[in-house]
Amino acid sequence: MHITQHASILPVPSGPLQVSRLPQGVAGLTSEGSSLVAPVRLSLIVPTYNEGGNIEKIVSLLSHLLDQTIPGDYELIVVDDDSPDKTWELAQNLTSQHPRLRVMRRQHERGLSTAVIRGWQAARGEILGVIDGDLQHPPEILLKLLEEIERGADLAVASRHVEGGGVSDWSAVRRFLSRGAQLLGLIMLPRVVSRVSDPMSGYFMVRRSAIAGCLLNPLGYKILIEVLGRGNIDQIAEVGYVFQEREAGESKVTWKHYTDYLHHLLRLRLSSGRIGRLRQRLRFPIGRFLRFGVVGASGLVVDMGILYLLYDRLGLGLTRSAILAAELAIINNFIWNDRWTFKDLAAKQRGWRRRIKRLMKFNIICLMGLILKVLLLNLLFNGLHLNAYLANFLAIAAVTLWNFWINLKLSWRVTEVK
Ligand code: GDD
Ligand code: MN
Protein backbone atom coordinates (compact mmCIF):
# COMPACT_ATOMS: atom_id res chain seq x y z
CA MET A 1 0.00 0.00 0.00
CA HIS A 2 1.58 3.30 -0.93
CA ILE A 3 0.70 6.33 1.10
CA THR A 4 2.09 9.49 -0.40
CA GLN A 5 2.80 10.88 3.05
CA HIS A 6 6.50 11.82 3.05
CA ALA A 7 8.65 10.19 5.75
CA SER A 8 9.70 13.64 6.95
CA ILE A 9 6.14 14.59 7.93
CA LEU A 10 5.39 12.87 11.22
CA PRO A 11 1.92 11.80 12.32
CA VAL A 12 1.06 13.34 15.71
CA PRO A 13 0.88 10.75 18.51
CA SER A 14 -2.21 10.95 20.73
CA GLY A 15 -3.30 9.36 23.99
CA PRO A 16 -1.17 9.12 27.14
CA LEU A 17 2.09 11.04 27.23
CA GLN A 18 4.23 7.95 27.49
CA VAL A 19 7.44 7.23 25.61
CA SER A 20 7.65 3.61 24.36
CA ARG A 21 10.35 1.29 25.65
CA LEU A 22 12.18 0.58 22.44
CA PRO A 23 12.99 3.12 19.77
CA GLN A 24 10.04 2.85 17.46
CA GLY A 25 11.17 1.72 14.05
CA VAL A 26 9.05 4.21 12.21
CA ALA A 27 7.56 3.14 8.92
CA GLY A 28 9.08 5.75 6.68
CA LEU A 29 6.37 5.83 4.08
CA THR A 30 8.00 7.13 0.97
CA SER A 31 7.10 6.82 -2.68
CA GLU A 32 9.32 3.73 -2.82
CA GLY A 33 6.95 2.02 -0.39
CA SER A 34 7.26 1.50 3.33
CA SER A 35 10.51 0.64 4.98
CA LEU A 36 10.99 0.26 8.68
CA VAL A 37 13.67 2.76 9.64
CA ALA A 38 16.21 1.58 12.20
CA PRO A 39 16.63 3.29 15.60
CA VAL A 40 19.19 6.09 15.81
CA ARG A 41 21.49 7.21 18.60
CA LEU A 42 20.02 10.70 19.15
CA SER A 43 16.59 12.21 18.56
CA LEU A 44 16.67 15.96 19.15
CA ILE A 45 13.34 17.71 19.53
CA VAL A 46 13.08 21.35 18.52
CA PRO A 47 9.80 22.73 19.87
CA THR A 48 8.67 25.77 17.91
CA TYR A 49 6.00 28.39 18.07
CA ASN A 50 6.39 31.32 15.66
CA GLU A 51 10.07 30.65 15.02
CA GLY A 52 9.85 31.45 11.32
CA GLY A 53 12.74 33.89 11.66
CA ASN A 54 15.00 31.28 13.29
CA ILE A 55 14.03 27.89 11.89
CA GLU A 56 16.27 27.82 8.84
CA LYS A 57 19.34 28.86 10.80
CA ILE A 58 18.75 26.49 13.74
CA VAL A 59 18.10 23.50 11.44
CA SER A 60 21.24 24.10 9.36
CA LEU A 61 23.41 24.74 12.44
CA LEU A 62 22.18 21.56 14.16
CA SER A 63 22.41 19.48 10.97
CA HIS A 64 25.91 20.70 10.23
CA LEU A 65 27.08 20.00 13.79
CA LEU A 66 25.53 16.52 14.04
CA ASP A 67 26.51 15.51 10.50
CA GLN A 68 30.09 16.06 11.60
CA THR A 69 29.84 14.17 14.91
CA ILE A 70 27.25 11.41 14.49
CA PRO A 71 26.58 11.33 10.74
CA GLY A 72 23.42 9.39 9.86
CA ASP A 73 22.86 8.41 13.48
CA TYR A 74 20.57 11.20 14.59
CA GLU A 75 17.28 12.85 13.71
CA LEU A 76 15.97 16.35 14.23
CA ILE A 77 12.27 16.58 14.97
CA VAL A 78 10.66 20.00 14.79
CA VAL A 79 7.40 19.92 16.74
CA ASP A 80 5.39 22.97 15.81
CA ASP A 81 2.05 23.93 17.30
CA ASP A 82 0.50 25.19 14.08
CA SER A 83 2.36 28.50 14.29
CA PRO A 84 0.59 31.45 12.69
CA ASP A 85 3.90 32.28 10.98
CA LYS A 86 3.84 28.75 9.46
CA THR A 87 7.12 27.63 11.03
CA TRP A 88 6.00 24.03 10.32
CA GLU A 89 5.76 24.74 6.58
CA LEU A 90 9.15 26.49 6.51
CA ALA A 91 10.60 23.47 8.31
CA GLN A 92 8.99 21.06 5.86
CA ASN A 93 10.57 22.98 3.00
CA LEU A 94 13.96 22.34 4.62
CA THR A 95 13.56 18.54 4.68
CA SER A 96 14.78 18.13 1.10
CA GLN A 97 18.18 19.61 1.95
CA HIS A 98 18.29 18.12 5.49
CA PRO A 99 17.34 14.42 5.23
CA ARG A 100 17.64 13.87 9.00
CA LEU A 101 14.93 16.48 9.63
CA ARG A 102 11.36 15.44 10.35
CA VAL A 103 8.47 17.76 11.13
CA MET A 104 5.40 17.33 13.33
CA ARG A 105 2.58 19.86 13.05
CA ARG A 106 0.25 19.71 16.06
CA GLN A 107 -3.17 21.23 15.52
CA HIS A 108 -5.16 19.87 18.46
CA GLU A 109 -2.72 20.18 21.34
CA ARG A 110 -0.59 23.11 22.46
CA GLY A 111 2.16 23.66 24.95
CA LEU A 112 5.89 23.37 25.08
CA SER A 113 6.18 20.38 27.43
CA THR A 114 3.66 18.20 25.63
CA ALA A 115 5.21 19.17 22.29
CA VAL A 116 8.53 17.76 23.47
CA ILE A 117 6.95 14.53 24.70
CA ARG A 118 4.94 14.00 21.51
CA GLY A 119 8.22 14.47 19.65
CA TRP A 120 9.91 11.88 21.86
CA GLN A 121 7.01 9.49 21.31
CA ALA A 122 7.56 9.63 17.54
CA ALA A 123 11.34 9.52 17.97
CA ARG A 124 13.61 6.56 17.13
CA GLY A 125 16.54 7.57 19.31
CA GLU A 126 18.08 5.73 22.23
CA ILE A 127 18.91 9.21 23.54
CA LEU A 128 16.20 11.87 23.57
CA GLY A 129 17.09 15.56 23.65
CA VAL A 130 15.44 18.95 23.50
CA ILE A 131 16.75 22.34 22.44
CA ASP A 132 14.95 25.64 22.03
CA GLY A 133 14.32 26.61 18.43
CA ASP A 134 15.28 30.25 18.85
CA LEU A 135 19.08 29.97 18.93
CA GLN A 136 19.22 30.90 22.60
CA HIS A 137 20.75 27.51 23.37
CA PRO A 138 24.25 27.30 21.84
CA PRO A 139 24.17 24.14 19.62
CA GLU A 140 27.78 23.17 20.34
CA ILE A 141 26.81 22.26 23.93
CA LEU A 142 24.98 19.28 22.42
CA LEU A 143 28.29 17.50 21.95
CA LYS A 144 29.12 17.81 25.65
CA LEU A 145 25.65 16.63 26.64
CA LEU A 146 25.99 13.63 24.32
CA GLU A 147 29.41 12.86 25.75
CA GLU A 148 28.00 12.83 29.29
CA ILE A 149 25.20 10.43 28.30
CA GLU A 150 27.69 8.17 26.53
CA ARG A 151 29.77 8.22 29.70
CA GLY A 152 26.81 6.78 31.60
CA ALA A 153 24.64 9.68 32.74
CA ASP A 154 20.88 9.07 32.51
CA LEU A 155 20.30 12.80 32.19
CA ALA A 156 22.65 15.54 30.94
CA VAL A 157 21.43 19.10 31.54
CA ALA A 158 22.76 22.32 30.02
CA SER A 159 22.85 24.61 33.04
CA ARG A 160 23.21 28.36 33.37
CA HIS A 161 24.20 28.01 36.99
CA VAL A 162 27.37 25.90 36.89
CA GLU A 163 30.91 26.75 35.86
CA GLY A 164 30.86 28.12 32.33
CA GLY A 165 27.16 28.91 32.63
CA GLY A 166 25.35 32.23 32.63
CA VAL A 167 22.75 34.37 30.98
CA SER A 168 23.27 37.25 28.58
CA ASP A 169 21.91 40.59 29.73
CA TRP A 170 18.74 39.46 31.45
CA SER A 171 16.76 42.16 33.27
CA ALA A 172 16.77 42.03 37.08
CA VAL A 173 13.05 41.12 36.91
CA ARG A 174 13.75 38.15 34.61
CA ARG A 175 16.54 36.94 36.86
CA PHE A 176 14.34 37.38 39.94
CA LEU A 177 11.44 35.47 38.34
CA SER A 178 13.68 32.62 37.19
CA ARG A 179 15.40 32.28 40.56
CA GLY A 180 12.09 32.76 42.37
CA ALA A 181 10.59 29.90 40.40
CA GLN A 182 13.58 27.77 41.28
CA LEU A 183 13.26 28.64 44.99
CA LEU A 184 9.58 27.70 44.94
CA GLY A 185 10.49 24.41 43.35
CA LEU A 186 13.08 23.76 46.05
CA ILE A 187 10.46 24.38 48.75
CA MET A 188 7.67 22.34 47.15
CA LEU A 189 9.69 19.54 45.56
CA PRO A 190 13.06 19.54 47.30
CA ARG A 191 13.96 15.99 46.34
CA VAL A 192 13.30 16.67 42.65
CA VAL A 193 14.28 20.26 42.02
CA SER A 194 17.44 20.17 44.14
CA ARG A 195 18.96 17.48 41.95
CA VAL A 196 20.01 20.00 39.29
CA SER A 197 21.34 23.53 39.45
CA ASP A 198 19.08 24.79 36.63
CA PRO A 199 15.68 23.06 36.91
CA MET A 200 14.25 25.75 34.59
CA SER A 201 16.47 24.60 31.75
CA GLY A 202 14.78 23.42 28.61
CA TYR A 203 18.05 22.17 27.10
CA PHE A 204 18.98 18.59 28.01
CA MET A 205 19.32 14.99 26.91
CA VAL A 206 17.85 11.97 28.65
CA ARG A 207 18.43 8.27 28.11
CA ARG A 208 15.23 6.86 26.59
CA SER A 209 15.25 3.88 28.96
CA ALA A 210 15.14 6.30 31.94
CA ILE A 211 11.72 7.65 30.97
CA ALA A 212 10.27 4.86 28.82
CA GLY A 213 6.97 3.61 30.17
CA CYS A 214 6.64 6.51 32.63
CA LEU A 215 3.28 8.23 32.40
CA LEU A 216 4.25 11.89 32.04
CA ASN A 217 1.79 14.60 32.87
CA PRO A 218 3.48 18.00 32.54
CA LEU A 219 2.00 21.46 32.47
CA GLY A 220 3.44 24.52 30.77
CA TYR A 221 7.09 25.07 30.04
CA LYS A 222 9.22 23.08 32.43
CA ILE A 223 9.65 19.64 30.94
CA LEU A 224 12.83 19.01 32.92
CA ILE A 225 11.10 18.85 36.32
CA GLU A 226 8.62 16.40 34.83
CA VAL A 227 11.46 14.13 33.67
CA LEU A 228 13.17 14.48 37.07
CA GLY A 229 9.91 13.94 38.94
CA ARG A 230 8.58 10.93 37.05
CA GLY A 231 11.57 9.40 35.29
CA ASN A 232 13.97 6.76 36.64
CA ILE A 233 16.90 9.12 36.74
CA ASP A 234 19.97 7.92 38.57
CA GLN A 235 23.09 9.59 37.18
CA ILE A 236 22.81 13.30 36.33
CA ALA A 237 25.50 15.38 34.58
CA GLU A 238 25.48 19.16 34.09
CA VAL A 239 27.22 21.20 31.44
CA GLY A 240 27.58 24.99 31.73
CA TYR A 241 26.19 27.17 28.95
CA VAL A 242 25.41 30.84 28.43
CA PHE A 243 21.79 31.54 27.52
CA GLN A 244 21.95 33.77 24.43
CA GLU A 245 19.88 36.72 23.35
CA ARG A 246 17.23 36.07 20.72
CA GLU A 247 18.05 37.16 17.13
CA ALA A 248 14.43 36.96 15.90
CA GLY A 249 10.95 36.57 17.37
CA GLU A 250 10.22 36.86 21.06
CA SER A 251 9.79 34.71 24.16
CA LYS A 252 6.36 33.13 24.54
CA VAL A 253 6.51 33.18 28.33
CA THR A 254 3.38 34.73 29.85
CA TRP A 255 2.05 34.96 33.39
CA LYS A 256 0.02 31.82 32.65
CA HIS A 257 3.28 29.90 32.40
CA TYR A 258 4.11 30.89 35.97
CA THR A 259 0.71 29.71 37.27
CA ASP A 260 1.09 26.55 35.19
CA TYR A 261 4.47 26.05 36.81
CA LEU A 262 2.92 26.30 40.28
CA HIS A 263 0.17 23.88 39.29
CA HIS A 264 2.80 21.55 37.82
CA LEU A 265 4.82 21.59 41.06
CA LEU A 266 1.67 20.82 43.07
CA ARG A 267 0.71 18.00 40.73
CA LEU A 268 4.17 16.48 41.01
CA ARG A 269 4.11 16.97 44.77
CA LEU A 270 0.85 15.07 45.03
CA SER A 271 2.22 12.22 42.99
CA SER A 272 5.69 11.94 44.54
CA GLY A 273 7.25 11.62 47.95
CA ARG A 274 5.28 10.52 51.03
CA ILE A 275 1.96 11.88 49.72
CA GLY A 276 2.51 10.14 46.40
CA ARG A 277 3.43 6.84 48.04
CA LEU A 278 0.43 7.11 50.39
CA ARG A 279 -1.75 7.84 47.39
CA GLN A 280 -0.29 4.87 45.54
CA ARG A 281 -0.84 2.60 48.54
CA LEU A 282 -4.32 3.87 49.29
CA ARG A 283 -5.02 4.52 45.64
CA PHE A 284 -6.79 7.51 47.14
CA PRO A 285 -7.76 10.10 44.54
CA ILE A 286 -6.69 13.16 46.54
CA GLY A 287 -7.39 15.64 43.73
CA ARG A 288 -10.92 14.37 43.32
CA PHE A 289 -11.45 14.37 47.09
CA LEU A 290 -10.30 18.00 47.32
CA ARG A 291 -12.86 18.93 44.64
CA PHE A 292 -15.52 16.98 46.54
CA GLY A 293 -14.60 18.97 49.65
CA VAL A 294 -14.93 22.31 47.80
CA VAL A 295 -18.38 21.25 46.56
CA GLY A 296 -19.30 20.19 50.10
CA ALA A 297 -18.33 23.66 51.35
CA SER A 298 -20.59 25.23 48.74
CA GLY A 299 -23.38 22.95 50.00
CA LEU A 300 -22.83 24.29 53.49
CA VAL A 301 -23.36 27.83 52.22
CA VAL A 302 -26.56 26.78 50.39
CA ASP A 303 -27.81 24.92 53.49
CA MET A 304 -27.20 27.89 55.80
CA GLY A 305 -28.64 30.37 53.30
CA ILE A 306 -31.86 28.41 52.70
CA LEU A 307 -32.26 27.77 56.44
CA TYR A 308 -31.96 31.52 57.10
CA LEU A 309 -34.47 32.31 54.35
CA LEU A 310 -37.08 29.73 55.37
CA TYR A 311 -36.73 29.85 59.16
CA ASP A 312 -35.68 33.39 59.81
CA ARG A 313 -37.33 35.35 57.00
CA LEU A 314 -40.39 33.21 56.13
CA GLY A 315 -41.00 31.89 59.64
CA LEU A 316 -41.25 28.23 58.57
CA GLY A 317 -40.66 25.75 61.47
CA LEU A 318 -37.00 24.87 62.21
CA THR A 319 -37.24 21.14 61.39
CA ARG A 320 -39.03 21.68 58.07
CA SER A 321 -36.63 24.50 57.18
CA ALA A 322 -33.61 22.33 58.07
CA ILE A 323 -34.87 19.38 56.01
CA LEU A 324 -35.64 21.55 52.95
CA ALA A 325 -32.32 23.36 53.32
CA ALA A 326 -30.44 20.05 53.60
CA GLU A 327 -32.22 18.64 50.54
CA LEU A 328 -31.47 21.71 48.41
CA ALA A 329 -27.85 21.56 49.56
CA ILE A 330 -27.70 17.89 48.49
CA ILE A 331 -29.07 18.80 45.03
CA ASN A 332 -26.53 21.65 44.78
CA ASN A 333 -23.73 19.25 45.66
CA PHE A 334 -24.95 16.63 43.20
CA ILE A 335 -24.98 19.14 40.33
CA TRP A 336 -21.42 20.35 41.02
CA ASN A 337 -20.09 16.86 41.69
CA ASP A 338 -21.64 15.54 38.51
CA ARG A 339 -20.26 18.40 36.45
CA TRP A 340 -16.84 18.79 38.11
CA THR A 341 -15.66 16.27 40.71
CA PHE A 342 -16.80 13.17 38.83
CA LYS A 343 -17.10 14.80 35.38
CA ASP A 344 -15.01 12.14 33.65
CA LEU A 345 -17.07 9.32 35.14
CA ALA A 346 -20.40 11.07 34.44
CA ALA A 347 -19.30 11.56 30.82
CA LYS A 348 -19.27 7.77 30.43
CA GLN A 349 -22.92 7.53 31.59
CA ARG A 350 -24.79 10.19 29.65
CA GLY A 351 -28.54 10.76 29.48
CA TRP A 352 -31.19 12.05 31.85
CA ARG A 353 -32.26 8.61 33.07
CA ARG A 354 -28.78 7.76 34.26
CA ARG A 355 -28.32 11.23 35.75
CA ILE A 356 -31.56 10.94 37.77
CA LYS A 357 -30.39 7.49 38.89
CA ARG A 358 -27.09 8.99 40.07
CA LEU A 359 -29.00 11.76 41.89
CA MET A 360 -31.23 9.22 43.69
CA LYS A 361 -28.19 7.20 44.80
CA PHE A 362 -26.36 10.37 45.81
CA ASN A 363 -29.38 11.53 47.80
CA ILE A 364 -29.77 8.27 49.69
CA ILE A 365 -26.06 8.11 50.52
CA CYS A 366 -26.06 11.73 51.73
CA LEU A 367 -29.18 11.19 53.86
CA MET A 368 -27.51 8.11 55.38
CA GLY A 369 -24.51 10.37 55.91
CA LEU A 370 -26.76 12.85 57.74
CA ILE A 371 -27.96 10.13 60.12
CA LEU A 372 -24.36 8.97 60.60
CA LYS A 373 -23.35 12.55 61.33
CA VAL A 374 -26.02 12.98 64.05
CA LEU A 375 -25.02 9.65 65.65
CA LEU A 376 -21.31 10.54 65.55
CA LEU A 377 -22.01 14.01 66.91
CA ASN A 378 -23.87 12.56 69.89
CA LEU A 379 -21.18 9.93 70.48
CA LEU A 380 -18.41 12.55 70.50
CA PHE A 381 -20.38 15.17 72.47
CA ASN A 382 -22.30 13.05 75.00
CA GLY A 383 -19.98 10.01 75.05
CA LEU A 384 -16.50 11.56 74.88
CA HIS A 385 -17.58 14.98 76.21
CA LEU A 386 -15.89 16.83 73.35
CA ASN A 387 -16.68 20.48 72.73
CA ALA A 388 -19.88 20.66 70.62
CA TYR A 389 -18.28 22.47 67.68
CA LEU A 390 -15.20 20.23 67.64
CA ALA A 391 -17.51 17.22 67.76
CA ASN A 392 -19.56 18.66 64.90
CA PHE A 393 -16.43 19.38 62.83
CA LEU A 394 -15.08 15.85 63.32
CA ALA A 395 -18.48 14.38 62.49
CA ILE A 396 -18.67 16.46 59.27
CA ALA A 397 -15.11 15.41 58.30
CA ALA A 398 -15.89 11.73 58.85
CA VAL A 399 -19.18 11.94 56.93
CA THR A 400 -17.49 13.81 54.06
CA LEU A 401 -15.04 10.91 53.69
CA TRP A 402 -17.98 8.46 53.85
CA ASN A 403 -20.01 10.44 51.28
CA PHE A 404 -17.02 10.74 48.94
CA TRP A 405 -15.91 7.15 49.05
CA ILE A 406 -19.35 5.54 48.81
CA ASN A 407 -20.48 7.94 46.05
CA LEU A 408 -17.28 7.30 44.12
CA LYS A 409 -17.77 3.56 44.40
CA LEU A 410 -21.58 3.48 43.95
CA SER A 411 -23.11 6.58 42.41
CA TRP A 412 -20.51 7.46 39.81
CA ARG A 413 -18.84 4.11 39.27
CA VAL A 414 -19.16 3.20 35.64
CA THR A 415 -20.75 -0.20 35.36
CA GLU A 416 -19.77 -1.19 31.87
CA VAL A 417 -22.83 -2.61 30.18
CA LYS A 418 -21.41 -5.33 27.94
N1 GDD B 1 5.58 23.54 20.06
C1 GDD B 1 5.62 24.57 20.94
N2 GDD B 1 4.48 24.92 21.61
N3 GDD B 1 6.80 25.24 21.14
C2 GDD B 1 6.79 26.30 22.02
C3 GDD B 1 5.65 26.70 22.72
C4 GDD B 1 4.43 25.96 22.49
O1 GDD B 1 3.39 26.22 23.08
N4 GDD B 1 5.97 27.78 23.49
C5 GDD B 1 7.28 28.03 23.26
N5 GDD B 1 7.77 27.14 22.38
C6 GDD B 1 9.15 27.05 21.89
C7 GDD B 1 9.65 28.36 21.37
O2 GDD B 1 9.36 28.48 19.99
C8 GDD B 1 11.15 28.22 21.61
O3 GDD B 1 11.73 27.44 20.58
C9 GDD B 1 11.22 27.41 22.89
O4 GDD B 1 9.97 26.72 23.00
C10 GDD B 1 11.42 28.26 24.15
O5 GDD B 1 10.36 29.17 24.19
P1 GDD B 1 10.66 30.70 24.63
O6 GDD B 1 9.37 31.39 24.73
O7 GDD B 1 11.69 31.27 23.75
O8 GDD B 1 11.25 30.46 26.10
P2 GDD B 1 12.29 31.44 26.85
O9 GDD B 1 13.16 32.12 25.89
O10 GDD B 1 11.51 32.28 27.80
O11 GDD B 1 13.21 30.37 27.59
C11 GDD B 1 12.87 29.85 28.87
O12 GDD B 1 12.07 28.70 28.70
C12 GDD B 1 12.68 27.71 27.89
C13 GDD B 1 11.74 26.52 27.81
O13 GDD B 1 11.58 25.97 29.10
C14 GDD B 1 14.19 29.49 29.52
O14 GDD B 1 13.93 28.97 30.81
C15 GDD B 1 14.90 28.44 28.72
O15 GDD B 1 16.02 27.94 29.44
C16 GDD B 1 14.00 27.27 28.48
O16 GDD B 1 14.62 26.38 27.56
MN1 MN C 1 13.74 31.72 24.04
Side-chain angles (χ1 to χ4, degrees):
M1 173 182 75
H2 289 294
I3 303 173
T4 48
Q5 184 186 20
H6 194 275
S8 62
I9 311 303
L10 281 171
V12 182
S14 56
L17 292 161
Q18 205 169 20
V19 174
S20 63
R21 289 212 174 281
L22 288 172
Q24 295 285 341
V26 177
L29 301 180
T30 61
S31 50
E32 294 77 51
S34 73
S35 64
L36 202 61
V37 181
V40 291
R41 196 161 6 151
L42 171 66
S43 295
L44 185 62
I45 309 304
V46 185
T48 58
Y49 191 72
N50 283 342
E51 297 301 348
N54 295 311
I55 192 68
E56 182 162 1
K57 188 169 179 185
I58 187 78
V59 166
S60 55
L61 274 174
L62 293 174
S63 303
H64 180 71
L65 184 77
L66 295 172
D67 282 343
Q68 284 187 328
T69 28
I70 43 174
D73 204 6
Y74 74 93
E75 60 182 350
L76 289 183
I77 301 181
V78 167
V79 181
D80 184 72
D81 284 359
D82 210 18
S83 297
D85 75 354
K86 298 214 183 302
T87 303
W88 51 273
E89 198 171 58
L90 298 168
Q92 281 174 356
N93 298 339
L94 298 171
T95 53
S96 48
Q97 66 201 89
H98 298 287
R100 312 303 303 175
L101 173 63
R102 303 201 292 166
V103 181
M104 188 186 289
R105 176 191 182 189
R106 296 200 309 169
Q107 293 171 286
H108 309 294
E109 227 176 15
R110 256 218 68 178
L112 171 52
S113 299
T114 57
V116 175
I117 298 168
R118 292 304 184 198
W120 285 344
Q121 284 181 298
R124 299 168 289 152
E126 275 112 12
I127 300 168
L128 305 172
V130 51
I131 185 171
D132 285 359
D134 55 12
L135 301 161
Q136 290 192 281
H137 289 161
E140 60 279 8
I141 300 294
L142 284 171
L143 307 184
K144 292 186 184 169
L145 295 175
L146 191 58
E147 201 182 308
E148 291 298 346
I149 299 281
E150 312 265 86
R151 283 219 297 246
D154 297 314
L155 173 69
V157 182
S159 167
R160 290 160 288 195
H161 308 312
V162 293
E163 195 193 332
V167 291
S168 44
D169 51 347
W170 269 16
S171 66
V173 171
R174 179 92 204 249
R175 285 175 199 267
F176 173 76
L177 286 173
S178 183
R179 281 307 202 173
Q182 183 170 357
L183 180 67
L184 213 58
L186 285 169
I187 295 166
M188 287 179 70
L189 268 178
R191 266 203 286 257
V192 171
V193 175
S194 64
R195 295 192 69 190
V196 290
S197 61
D198 187 358
M200 303 298 119
S201 175
Y203 189 11
F204 61 88
M205 284 183 194
V206 60
R207 195 179 297 283
R208 181 194 202 97
S209 54
I211 57 168
C214 301
L215 195 56
L216 303 172
N217 188 14
L219 246 178
Y221 253 45
K222 299 308 165 191
I223 177 73
L224 178 58
I225 53 167
E226 186 67 11
V227 165
L228 280 166
R230 298 188 202 268
N232 304 305
I233 308 292
D234 184 12
Q235 299 296 321
I236 299 176
E238 296 195 301
V239 174
Y241 85 100
V242 178
F243 190 69
Q244 306 298 307
E245 270 317 291
R246 262 180 178 270
E247 294 172 12
E250 69 277 329
S251 167
K252 280 81 195 174
V253 171
T254 62
W255 277 106
K256 183 166 175 332
H257 289 104
Y258 287 97
T259 48
D260 278 350
Y261 171 69
L262 269 179
H263 190 172
H264 190 186
L265 286 175
L266 191 66
R267 189 188 278 183
L268 273 170
R269 181 87 198 101
L270 288 175
S271 61
S272 63
R274 268 197 300 278
I275 298 179
R277 279 193 296 279
L278 176 75
R279 220 176 141 196
Q280 283 304 323
R281 256 207 307 281
L282 287 177
R283 289 235 160 277
F284 190 76
I286 286 186
R288 208 191 281 281
F289 179 66
L290 291 176
R291 294 200 294 270
F292 190 83
V294 168
V295 170
S298 78
L300 216 56
V301 172
V302 169
D303 192 321
M304 294 298 187
I306 302 288
L307 183 72
Y308 170 73
L309 205 68
L310 298 177
Y311 176 63
D312 222 306
R313 309 298 289 170
L314 301 178
L316 206 66
L318 182 62
T319 311
R320 266 183 297 171
S321 307
I323 291 169
L324 279 173
E327 186 48 39
L328 286 173
I330 287 174
I331 292 171
N332 166 77
N333 291 7
F334 172 77
I335 292 168
W336 286 111
N337 282 322
D338 204 48
R339 298 175 68 86
W340 184 42
T341 314
F342 301 107
K343 177 180 173 190
D344 55 329
L345 301 176
K348 293 177 186 166
Q349 346 173 32
R350 292 185 181 291
W352 275 103
R353 256 168 31 86
R354 291 170 137 184
R355 187 171 291 124
I356 300 288
K357 210 170 148 195
R358 287 198 297 274
L359 171 60
M360 301 317 289
K361 285 195 264 184
F362 182 76
N363 222 332
I364 293 164
I365 292 165
C366 290
L367 290 175
M368 286 166 68
L370 217 51
I371 297 164
L372 182 67
K373 188 207 147 188
V374 171
L375 292 175
L376 259 178
L377 176 62
N378 277 285
L379 176 73
L380 295 170
F381 179 66
N382 297 317
L384 301 181
H385 307 299
L386 284 190
N387 164 290
Y389 294 98
L390 175 63
N392 193 40
F393 174 77
L394 293 174
I396 288 175
V399 166
T400 305
L401 261 174
W402 147 275
N403 277 346
F404 172 70
W405 197 246
I406 303 297
N407 275 303
L408 174 66
K409 292 301 170 197
L410 286 183
S411 310
W412 273 277
R413 190 190 60 186
V414 183
T415 319
E416 298 294 348
V417 180
K418 295 294 174 211

